[in-house]
Amino acid sequence: MRLTYTSDVWYKNAVVYCLDVETFKDGNGDGVGDFHGLTQQIDYLAGLGVTCLWLMPFFPTPNRDDGYDITDFYSIDPRLGTLGDFVEFMRTAHDRGLRVIADLVVNHTSDQHPWFKEARKSKDSPMRDWYVWSDTPEPDDPSQVVFPDKESSFWEYDEGSGQYYLHSFYRHQPDLNVGNPEVRDEIARILGFWMELGLSGFRVDAVPFLIENVNPKLADPHEFLQDLRAFMTRRKGGSILLGEVNLPYKDLTGYFGDGLGDQITMCFDFVGMQKAWLAMARQDARPLAAALRERPKPPKDCQWAMFLRNHDELTLDKLSEEERQEVFQAFGPHESMQIFGRGLRRRLPTMLGGDLRRIKMAYSLLFSLPGTPVIFYGEEIGLGENLDEEGRMAVRIPMQWSGDGGFTQGEAAPVREVPEGAFAPDRVNVADQKRDTNSLLRWFQLLIERYRECPELAWGDSTVLDTGHHAVLAHRCDVDRATVVVAHNLCDTALDVEVTLAGLERCQLTDLLVDDTLEVADDGTARLPLGPHGCRWLRASPPEVPPEDASVKAQ
Ligand code: GLC
């Protein structure tokens, strides 16, 4: 059967918006964002045009890793509200047509989780085997440690019970042992619980860590991912796993489920993301073009998730040392901006020097690259960072709703401080940008609207085109005889490039972002004039067909 409707595989051209309830909107004046506040902003999110919200962890937590250290998977952090508030939020989101997914952090728990407290009581504890223990710290490579500022090993000695436990991240985050079938069942129960409350899927934290280093080793670690996905599909068709799998392409395809596509539904394109930053640093599109050409096509019904920034550092771990230094030089030269020796704790607009043209080009690129765009709250208004906040928290600052901040109405100090200066709330906020047709917020709305109108971008076969100029990335996306051609100028001088568009001879190219039309010549060539950091999204249509009718329609 050939039939697939875009809405059956909704995630393939979704627009995913990641937010932390804690920093989005405070509804009760205690300085901490909450579900009540978030619910009040649902119309803002629906108006922006995003189609799926990804909530960062909202579970009870001692908060030593911003909620990625969980003490109860079946409840809500009381600072953020109650289960009742959560359900009200879900109801409102669904009413506005928004799907919701949540972070699934089951590689580890907090060391304060009752399971770990029980497990560490003694070697004979009935829950001992829920975690990974060893009599000796297994040899490990300190250079592989994820948080080298705080840790130098994956193993921590537990005085009380006289063994070492595994922690892939901080020592207060002991790894769960998915080698134990009871743990695997419990994880399925957690998924089932939140799906019953309306979630459409999960962003799976640290996937490779989750399935490796378990005891006993799983005969096929990927079978566990298959089982999880199958379980979810049985419960609710169309539910997804969005995986944090930061691996080179060749090692990553197995996480989709080679050929079958029966494991992680969407994987973040960490390699493409890092090459995009290298390309922007060099004002040379070739590193990104090469990554796109090399990137494997995901199995049917799977998809790449595209992003430029997220809640973590901008990791540059897949670049060579030299390339990383180039990006550091261009976008984060001061040591205070760098972290873990591999990344930058900055948001995009500050890195691009607040240059609105360049920022708009970067997001146009993000939305037009083949895949599903994922944005981090505040990107739509050009939120900056606050380097005074600790480590990765620099980018997890309160959302700026109005000139006076607008995150909280209470007297209590907000959970984190907003930046001062050029990125302070009086300079960067939602209310002002709503009234300004030239604002970044309006640009996001346009990009999202066009992206949704052009399923070709997400669905189509994409081809990187030769442009004859290193600074320009051009690609075309084709599906069912409909074509969108996209071009981005990564440098700050105007350029006129020529591309050859096989099969589109004599077509019209209608610009979808500004009022303009270009022609494809008889020999299939087209000239694309691009301003400094200019971008174009062009719909191809034969002369006798109105451009609107040449597009693939969502069904
Ligand atoms: C993931 C998250 C990160 C968190 C870590 C440990 O990498 O993105 O924020 O600290 O997992 O859970």
Side-chain angles (χ1 to χ4, degrees), residues 65 68 105 108 147 169 173 203 205-206 244 311-312 392 396:
D65 183 16
Y68 284 87
V105 190
H108 48 265
F147 299 131
F169 295 90
Q173 291 167 319
R203 177 268 186 185
D205 195 57
E244 185 195 24
H311 62 292
D312 285 325
R392 291 170 296 153
R396 304 185 195 179

Side-chain angles (χ1 to χ4, degrees), residues 114-135 156-166 174-177 180 182-183 215:
W115 300 340
F116 188 66
K117 286 187 174 171
E118 170 57 46
R120 79 193 307 180
K121 275 187 187 157
S122 84
K123 286 183 186 162
D124 308 321
S125 160
M127 298 202 83
R128 187 71 172 175
D129 198 29
W130 280 49
Y131 295 85
V132 184
W133 300 91
S134 174
D135 288 329
E156 180 70 9
Y157 188 62
D158 180 49
E159 289 277 343
S161 62
Q163 278 186 312
Y164 292 81
Y165 64 85
L166 177 71
D175 275 33
L176 276 169
N177 179 21
N180 178 345
E182 285 178 21
V183 172
N215 188 19

Side-chain angles (χ1 to χ4, degrees), residues 246-249 268-276 291 294 318:
N246 181 5
L247 293 175
Y249 290 138
F268 286 105
D269 183 0
F270 276 93
V271 173
M273 179 277 287
Q274 301 186 34
K275 298 289 182 179
E294 179 206 336
K318 295 289 175 287

